[in-house]
Amino acid sequence: MVVQLQNKGAAEQNVELSYLTGGLGWKADYVAELNANEDKLDLSGWVTLTNTSGTSYRNAKLQLVAGDVNRIQEEHPMALGSVRMKTMDMAAAAPMAE
């Protein structure tokens, strides 16, 4: 990722950049302990992060989201059309089974 900023003023500016990236995963583990009187519960949890993105993120702040994140995927009509055409050409060229 490359970010280029241009500050036309002399004042200091605070900038926050957030983005979603692939290759990161996490799982949570919890332990619940009930006290002797069985009227209070102590809940402890920890998170295990897995980074297979090939990039390290030093001093990163994380926000963990449970479930599937709905990401918008760009469609490339020309590329999709050429794949369909190639598939149709391959089907037409394939010998028919008897």
Side-chain angles (χ1 to χ4, degrees), residues 25-82:
W26 65 277
K27 71 173 191 160
D29 294 291
Y30 301 95
V31 173
E33 292 183 62
L34 193 59
N35 70 352
N37 293 333
E38 297 184 353
D39 60 354
K40 293 184 182 175
L41 183 74
D42 183 25
L43 183 64
S44 300
W46 62 94
V47 173
T48 303
L49 298 172
T50 305
N51 181 359
T52 59
S53 70
T55 303
S56 61
Y57 298 95
R58 289 185 178 90
N59 301 318
K61 293 181 182 179
L62 299 175
Q63 182 177 10
L64 304 175
V65 179
D68 295 325
V69 177
N70 188 11
R71 299 173 100 182
I72 296 173
Q73 296 181 3
E74 292 183 37
E75 290 189 29
H76 302 286
M78 293 298 288
L80 185 58
S82 64

Side-chain angles (χ1 to χ4, degrees), residues 4-13 15:
Q4 185 176 26
L5 300 172
Q6 189 173 31
N7 185 8
K8 295 187 180 203
E12 181 179 308
Q13 302 291 321
V15 177

